[in-house]
Amino acid sequence: MAKSKTVWFCSNCGNEYPKWMGKCPACGEWNSFVEKEVVTGKTAPMSIPGASRKPMPLKDVSSSQEDRVSLGSKEVDRLLGGGIVKGSLVLMGGEPGIGKSTLSLQLPLNSPNLKTLYVTGEESVKQVKMRADRLGGDASNCLIFSETDMSTIIAEAEKAAPDLVIVDSVQTMYCQHVESTAGSVSQIKEVAAQLLRFAKSSGIPVILIGHITKEGTIAGPKILEHIVDVVLQFEGENRGAYRVLRSIKNRFGSTSELAVFEMTGTGLREVENPSEMLIPMHEEGLSGTAISAMLDGNRPFLFEVQALVSSAVYGTAQRSATGFDVRRLNMLLAVLERRAGFKLGQKDVFLNMAGGLRITDPACDLAVICAVLSSNFDYSIPSDVCFAGEVGLSGEIRPVSQAARRATEAARLGFKRIFVSSYTHFDRKPQGIEVVKVADIPALVRALFK
Ligand code: TYD
Ligand code: MG
C-alpha cells in the first residue's frame, strides 16, 4: 500500500532530512532546504543485472570486463574509459549554450551502426532535424522523439530497444505520479531514478543531459551526482571556441580525464592534441607568459599561462584570475613577497589560462610565478622553456606527480628545458630535454633570469 510523507531536501547536495534546517549538515550550504512529498512503497526495488541474491566470496565473482559500446567520438569513448558501459546512466552537465545538445546529437550521427533513441524535451523534432542537417553525418539509425512524460518515454524505449538512449534534458522531463512541476528537486530525482531502473534492467546505456548554472544551481544536476554512474561536465567560456569535457565521476574508469573540443560552424570538432592549440602562436620575445607542463588524468599536455603586472591605479591593488583560483594566486604573490623579496603589494596582477581552461593541477604554480615575474621585469622567458612544480608556503618548490611523462611530452613538442623541483625523482632520465632542478624561488630566479 502506497503511503506518502513529507521530507526535506538540500537542493545543493541532495541530502534528505525529516525536518527543515537552516544549514545543511552535509554540505554546509545555507537556506538550501526544499520540501518534497515522497510516496513510500510505490517504487519497485532496483535490480541490477548480474546481481547476486546471496553474499558470495569476492574471489568467486568472475572478473570479465564490462560490456562497452563505442560511441561516435573517440574522445568521449576515452573519457568514459573505452566506450559507454551497457546499462549505465551517464549525466552530462554544463551551462546552457555550451554544446551539450550538439555533442549528444553528434554521437549517433557519427556512429550509424548504433541505433539511438534521442528524446528531446526542449526542442521540436524540426529543430533537431535542422541541427542534424548542419552537423552532417548519417541520420538513418537515429530515432527522434519529442516527449516529456517519462512513462511514455520508457514504454517507447522498451519497444524500440535501441543501443543507446539520450534524454535532453532532465529539467524538462516529468513523472505523472510526482506532484510538482518539471525541473523541481522531486521530479529530477524521480526522472533519474526511473532512467536508472530502465538502464539497469534493459542493459541499454542512457545519456542524461542536465543544465547547471555557474552558481551550482538550485535543483540542478548536482543532486544527481550520487545516483548516476558517470558524470561528465562541460566547461569553457561560451564566447570562446574551446570547450572542455571533464569526467568528474566514473564508476567504470578514471576521473579527472578531459577532452577538448572546438565549436565550429558544423558542430564540435575533437582536438586530439590539446598542446598544439594551447601553446602560443606569437613571436618570441613577449614578456608575461610561461608554459606549464600539466597532466589531466593520464594525459600530459602543455599550455600557456599569461600574466600582466602593472602599477595599481587605485589605492588597493587588483588581483584577478581567469581559469585559476584567485586565492591561490594571492598565496603565490605573498610567497614571492615574503620569501623572495619581490614587492608586488602595490601592483595589479591579472592572470589568464590559455584556451579558457580551468586549472586545478598544483604543478601549474611554477609557471604562474614565472609569468608574474616575467611581466613584472618585462623579461621574456625563452619559448623553449617550460615548468612543472608546486610552490609551498616557505617558497620551496615541491615535486609533482609523473614528472617524467610531463618532460617527455615537452620534449616531443620541441621544448629544450623543463624546470622541476630538486626533489623530483626520475626512474629514467627523460630524453631530448634538459631538466633543470631548482629547490626554491631564489634558485629559480637565478637559473632563469640570469
Ligand atoms: P547547444 O548544443 O544547443 O547547447 P546546450 O544544449 O548545452 O544548451 O548549442 C551551443 C551553442 O553552439 C549554440 O549557441 C550555437 C552553437 N553552435 C555552433 O556554433 N555550431 C554548430 O554547429 C551548432 C549546432 C551550434
Ligand atoms: Mg540543449
Side-chain angles (χ1 to χ4, degrees):
M1 174 62 194
K3 274 189 273 179
S4 86
K5 64 171 185 174
T6 298
V7 295
W8 292 86
F9 241 102
C10 172
S11 57
N12 187 46
C13 68
N15 257 306
E16 201 177 291
Y17 296 93
K19 61 181 174 45
W20 184 87
M21 268 177 272
K23 183 184 178 189
C24 174
C27 69
E29 188 70 17
W30 286 94
N31 205 15
S32 60
F33 275 82
V34 287
E35 193 174 6
K36 179 195 172 188
E37 197 170 314
V38 289
V39 181
T40 51
K42 197 171 178 181
T43 44
M46 206 177 296
S47 70
I48 299 172
S52 94
R53 283 281 170 212
K54 266 194 242 151
M56 63 193 285
L58 187 56
K59 67 177 173 51
D60 294 349
V61 180
S62 78
S63 60
S64 61
Q65 288 283 315
E66 298 102 3
D67 228 349
R68 291 179 186 263
V69 182
S70 173
L71 300 173
S73 159
K74 245 170 71 188
E75 290 291 285
V76 177
D77 278 352
R78 186 178 59 78
L79 213 54
L80 291 167
I84 192 166
V85 172
K86 283 192 178 164
S88 66
L89 178 58
V90 175
L91 175 69
M92 193 195 287
E95 289 164 30
I98 196 133
K100 301 179 297 297
S101 306
T102 306
L103 180 64
S104 57
L105 188 59
Q106 265 178 277
L107 297 177
L109 294 179
N110 292 340
S111 51
N113 295 332
L114 206 64
K115 182 175 176 189
T116 308
L117 177 64
Y118 186 97
V119 184
T120 167
E122 299 194 340
E123 288 152 303
S124 68
V125 176
K126 255 214 176 98
Q127 279 172 306
V128 177
K129 168 73 177 156
M130 272 157 54
R131 179 181 302 207
D133 286 346
R134 188 129 81 95
L135 296 174
D138 184 348
S140 56
N141 220 354
C142 181
L143 294 166
I144 296 285
F145 191 28
S146 180
E147 179 59 65
T148 53
D149 176 14
M150 279 312 292
S151 53
T152 319
I153 292 168
I154 296 212
E156 288 299 325
E158 275 166 353
K159 227 188 288 164
D163 302 314
L164 172 70
V165 175
I166 298 169
V167 178
D168 186 5
S169 64
V170 65
Q171 274 93 351
T172 53
M173 302 295 153
Y174 75 96
C175 303
Q176 275 171 354
H177 62 270
V178 178
E179 274 184 26
S180 55
T181 52
S184 63
V185 174
S186 17
Q187 284 288 6
I188 286 181
K189 281 211 142 187
E190 188 56 27
V191 166
Q194 286 212 6
L195 285 172
L196 187 69
R197 219 171 294 128
F198 166 75
K200 300 288 174 212
S201 61
S202 66
I204 299 171
V206 177
I207 297 179
L208 179 60
I209 292 173
H211 295 294
I212 189 163
T213 60
K214 275 213 170 79
E215 293 74 41
T217 192
I218 288 187
K222 270 258 173 275
I223 55 174
L224 296 181
E225 281 177 10
H226 56 276
I227 302 179
V228 301
D229 297 309
V230 179
V231 181
L232 301 181
Q233 189 151 317
F234 251 117
E235 294 173 0
E237 295 289 319
N238 266 355
R239 292 164 284 120
Y242 294 108
R243 308 289 151 91
V244 175
L245 189 63
R246 201 185 279 279
S247 143
I248 53 178
K249 166 181 175 177
N250 193 346
R251 285 190 180 142
F252 315 106
S254 92
T255 52
S256 76
E257 293 273 343
L258 59 80
V260 181
F261 294 91
E262 184 187 5
M263 184 60 95
T264 68
T266 51
L268 288 159
R269 184 183 72 83
E270 300 184 352
V271 179
E272 278 178 31
N273 189 355
S275 305
E276 275 154 30
M277 129 217 155
L278 296 166
I279 298 184
M281 308 296 169
H282 53 67
E283 309 275 303
E284 198 169 319
L286 280 185
S287 64
T289 66
I291 307 288
S292 178
M294 89 144 212
L295 206 65
D296 86 75
N298 268 319
R299 185 174 55 170
F301 72 83
L302 282 90
F303 72 98
E304 187 186 55
V305 177
Q306 303 171 333
L308 182 66
V309 179
S310 66
S311 302
V313 184
Y314 305 108
T316 40
Q318 295 184 66
R319 266 65 212 270
S320 131
T322 312
F324 192 77
D325 184 4
V326 75
R327 281 171 305 184
R328 184 133 193 118
L329 171 64
N330 279 326
M331 182 222 93
L332 293 174
L333 294 175
V335 169
L336 276 179
E337 177 133 9
R338 284 298 305 272
R339 305 290 178 196
F342 295 106
K343 298 270 173 279
L344 297 167
Q346 289 308 309
K347 300 281 178 82
D348 287 343
V349 179
F350 304 97
L351 191 70
N352 187 27
M353 303 287 138
L357 283 189
R358 229 170 278 171
I359 304 297
T360 48
D361 186 352
C364 184
D365 289 354
L366 206 52
V368 169
I369 283 203
C370 291
V372 167
L373 292 179
S374 159
S375 173
N376 191 45
F377 299 124
D378 199 18
Y379 170 91
S380 64
I381 296 171
S383 62
D384 57 1
V385 172
C386 63
F387 305 89
E390 184 183 341
V391 175
L393 283 181
S394 56
E396 84 279 16
I397 294 165
R398 299 157 159 261
V400 296
S401 61
Q402 307 202 38
R405 297 196 49 207
R406 299 176 200 251
T408 309
E409 172 72 3
R412 193 182 71 74
L413 290 165
F415 284 84
K416 293 282 177 286
R417 272 193 296 164
I418 181 167
F419 282 71
V420 296
S421 160
S422 298
Y423 311 105
T424 307
H425 167 74
F426 289 108
D427 285 335
R428 212 157 39 87
K429 209 174 155 298
Q431 297 297 309
I433 190 163
E434 183 196 347
V435 176
V436 185
K437 292 188 169 180
V438 283
D440 51 22
I441 292 174
L444 167 75
V445 173
R446 277 196 304 276
L448 186 63
F449 299 99
K450 62 184 169 205

